[in-house]
Amino acid sequence: MAQHKRYSIATIPGDGIGKEVIPVGQRAAEAVAAKHGFALEWTRFDWSCERYEKTGRMMPEDGIEQVKAHDAIYLGAVGWPGVPDHVSLWGLLIPLRRELDQYANVRPVRLLRGVSSPLANRRPEEIDFIVVRENVEGEYSEIGGRLYRGTADEVAVQEAVFTRRGVDRIMDYAFTLARGRKRKHVASATKSNGIVHTMPFWDERFEAAKKRFPDVETAQYHIDILTAHFVQHPDWFDVVVGSNLFGDILSDLGPAVAGSIGIAPAANINPEGAYPSMFEPVHGSAPDIAGQGIANPVAAVWTAAMMLDHLGEVQAARTLEEAIEISLERPQSRTRDLGGTADTKASEAAILDAIHSL
Ligand code: ATP
Ligand code: MG
């Protein structure tokens, strides 16, 4: 018998509902792996706010080294009341993203069958785009400072840093992604009418990318009107590329136009594959519903599909996505955030049934 392909995955369930939905994603991924003839090996890490409260650290000192050897990282959510956000962010998420050079943050936005969008009368085929956010430079720099604190002359300065290498590689990622899609279109988020150094540079590098990808169609919008278009004309978009700040805004707005945060997947990608990429649902640890068994596992399952796609198991990823949509067609298989009555278990059962039926 032929040797099965094997992938080693580092799982970090994290806090709250992360611990409830990640196992569902693992079981769904296992089910499609069995169907498509490959194997997944999971190594679980307890890195979380819970760990921080016991040990004073979100992850061990050599944490990055520990996950580096894996093919991918599958993360639930970190954050818990009582632990400041900067601890969970700077103690875990940001070091992982930066040290593993996951410079592309990718969020697909698709209106799934059975889910209603807050935008009235939208059909599934009208909302189907991907937001690509530059994840490691740009506006979120630590350069800047405060002067004359507490006086009437007080000043705060924050510098944004855009490098040619950094902008070109996120453009390449977005254009390459668009090239593999039906519409082959990239829209760039800018604000070069107000931000007069970095954003004209961003626009120049967008122009340069257009020359490298002549087969891809493009458009450019200022961020203010772009947010309005997301709401009024979501059908205009295919791949949308933005800087760290603009991408951050668009990557929360995007999933919101496609329904619940409980279904939205995300990935932090190192496109060259020099380091493992990290796959995490958009939602947080949801302390308000944690422990009740009612969290929507769809975001985690769709995120697992993104992971399989990235690993090269494209057919398995499609099977998983199709199974999600089949499961959502029946109201009794939808969780409460989608207006249904299912708990996490019932939603999982519907997804697994759909996988077996495919
Ligand atoms: P962050 O960790 O990014 O700060 P947050 O605490 O602002 O996130 P979430 O934890 O995502 O936000 O929760 C926002 C709201 O969405 C909460 O009311 C939560 O219950 C709900 N929610 C989030 N994820 C899910 C899910 N998978 N299923 C059902 N409801 C969810
Ligand atoms: Mg939170």
Side-chain angles (χ1 to χ4, degrees):
M1 215 176 93
Q3 191 72 29
H4 277 186
K5 257 197 164 156
R6 312 185 82 81
Y7 302 97
S8 73
I9 315 291
T11 57
I12 310 173
D15 297 296
I17 63 166
K19 288 188 286 193
E20 300 171 42
V21 295
I22 288 300
V24 178
Q26 288 180 262
R27 288 189 287 268
E30 289 280 347
V32 290
K35 215 179 168 72
H36 290 269
F38 61 93
L40 297 163
E41 281 163 5
W42 312 90
T43 309
R44 188 176 184 281
F45 297 88
D46 69 346
W47 306 346
S48 57
C49 290
E50 205 177 312
R51 187 180 187 285
Y52 171 80
E53 284 174 329
K54 284 190 222 138
T55 67
R57 291 189 67 103
M58 293 290 297
M59 63 175 174
E61 210 142 356
D62 66 343
I64 305 276
E65 287 308 313
Q66 290 189 36
V67 291
K68 253 188 196 167
H70 294 81
D71 294 312
I73 303 167
Y74 186 42
L75 178 124
V78 287
W80 200 248
V83 177
D85 277 350
H86 72 260
V87 168
S88 47
L89 278 174
W90 289 93
L92 185 81
L93 282 177
I94 292 177
L96 280 170
R97 286 177 187 166
R98 293 199 174 173
E99 292 189 41
L100 302 176
D101 206 20
Q102 295 163 346
Y103 62 83
N105 186 279
V106 180
R107 292 192 180 178
V109 175
R110 198 142 55 80
L111 181 56
L112 303 181
R113 304 196 295 270
V115 174
S116 52
S117 164
L119 309 180
N121 305 320
R122 286 293 176 181
R123 285 172 288 121
E125 59 274 22
E126 293 177 316
I127 305 181
D128 183 2
F129 59 90
I130 301 182
V131 178
V132 175
R133 161 189 174 190
E134 200 296 316
N135 216 18
V136 295
E137 61 170 42
E139 300 88 346
Y140 296 167
S141 87
E142 290 161 274
I143 304 170
R146 305 271 299 262
L147 290 171
Y148 317 125
R149 271 177 197 263
T151 74
D153 299 319
E154 194 160 4
V155 179
V157 177
Q158 171 84 48
E159 303 279 7
V161 179
F162 287 74
T163 64
R164 181 184 280 225
R165 174 171 172 267
V167 180
D168 282 356
R169 66 185 188 170
I170 198 68
M171 292 295 175
D172 277 340
Y173 185 81
F175 277 80
T176 304
L177 190 60
R179 197 174 248 174
R181 286 168 61 86
K182 212 167 56 223
R183 288 187 49 203
K184 302 190 193 332
H185 184 275
V186 176
S188 166
T190 186
K191 191 61 193 172
S192 44
N193 59 353
I195 298 173
V196 300
H197 299 296
T198 52
M199 280 296 131
F201 176 64
W202 174 271
D203 294 351
E204 279 168 35
R205 301 323 301 160
F206 183 56
E207 289 302 316
K210 282 157 74 168
K211 297 208 177 75
R212 291 195 298 281
F213 296 85
D215 51 322
V216 175
E217 283 187 69
T218 60
Q220 177 175 307
Y221 303 97
H222 292 301
I223 184 67
D224 40 356
I225 193 65
L226 184 49
T227 55
H229 290 330
F230 262 37
V231 174
Q232 290 175 322
H233 310 287
D235 51 310
W236 288 1
F237 299 102
D238 184 24
V239 173
V240 184
V241 64
S243 63
N244 210 334
L245 170 63
F246 295 163
D248 195 7
I249 295 166
L250 295 174
S251 63
D252 263 20
L253 180 59
V257 307
S260 164
I261 191 168
I263 61 169
N268 299 283
I269 304 277
N270 173 254
E272 291 76 22
Y275 302 104
S277 295
M278 179 162 70
F279 300 82
E280 52 167 325
V282 168
H283 64 73
S285 58
D288 56 331
I289 60 163
Q292 297 177 37
I294 58 170
N296 189 344
V298 166
V301 176
W302 191 352
T303 297
M306 287 186 82
M307 180 168 73
L308 297 181
D309 188 289
H310 179 79
L311 291 170
E313 297 295 343
V314 179
Q315 284 314 314
R318 294 295 89 77
T319 302
L320 207 43
E321 288 171 7
E322 183 59 21
I324 290 171
E325 290 211 68
I326 292 172
S327 80
L328 291 172
E329 280 166 358
R330 289 166 52 239
Q332 64 270 34
S333 309
R334 289 180 216 144
T335 47
R336 290 180 214 177
D337 54 307
L338 298 176
T341 53
D343 58 10
T344 309
K345 263 206 186 90
S347 175
E348 173 181 355
I351 293 167
L352 292 176
D353 277 352
I355 292 169
H356 297 309
S357 77
L358 283 167

